[in-house]
Amino acid sequence: MNVDPIDPVLQVRHLRFSWPGRLLFDGLSFDLPPGVNLVRGDDGSGKSTLLALIAGALAPEAGELIVQGVTLRSQHDAYRHRVFWIDPQTEAHDALAAGGYLESLSHHYPGFDKETLNELVDGFGLRPHLGKPMYMLSTGSRRKVWLTAALSAGTPLTLIDQPFAALDAPSIRFLRELLQDASSHPSRAWLLADHEAPEGVVLASSIEI
């Protein structure tokens, strides 16, 4: 019996990028299938930089990035609406209330799901923090806000840097269950950057850098 090939959500072609004095990627190419994927490497290997490049937050020196047929180079805005990424260290939203930031997602991501948002807010225990400005939240609570945003935006491609960092044990278990569910999604992809694969999550692919 013939099995139809699965169309990749993301295509990376001949990506080149360097920091001053250091070549990081040269000719990097891969396809990302639906489900949960991992980019794995040591500290300083370029995991976070790769996510920022795929998100369109950094410009590559060469190469193409394509999400579901939409190319970053020629269809920048349409591409960015198809990819969710946030720098976990960002201070850009510090003045916003956590709830206000989460509500703003509907203006940027056509697939944003309010019902999913509410489930994630409860699952991560964020309800008491929604009225607080982001700068008042602990590192762990900020991380939960970013994860709630990432998992409710409804984008074809979701990029998450060190997803379990600074989380308490109940939130780690909750996130692991969410990723287990995501691993079987037929058309959306999640790319995690971390040192190791999440326990109990079936990976669609793993990229070593």
Side-chain angles (χ1 to χ4, degrees), residues 126-157:
L126 284 173
R127 191 75 58 187
H129 303 294
L130 294 181
K132 300 175 184 176
M134 291 295 299
Y135 74 84
M136 289 185 62
L137 299 185
S138 67
T139 300
S141 292
R142 288 167 66 93
R143 285 274 184 168
K144 294 175 191 179
V145 172
W146 305 146
L147 288 166
T148 297
L151 296 166
S152 62
T155 48
L157 177 60

Side-chain angles (χ1 to χ4, degrees), residues 93 95-108 112 117 129-134 145:
H93 307 290
L96 289 176
Y101 166 72
L102 292 171
E103 291 292 342
S104 74
L105 297 172
S106 62
H107 303 301
H108 302 286
F112 170 76
L117 173 69
H129 303 294
L130 294 181
K132 300 175 184 176
M134 291 295 299
V145 172

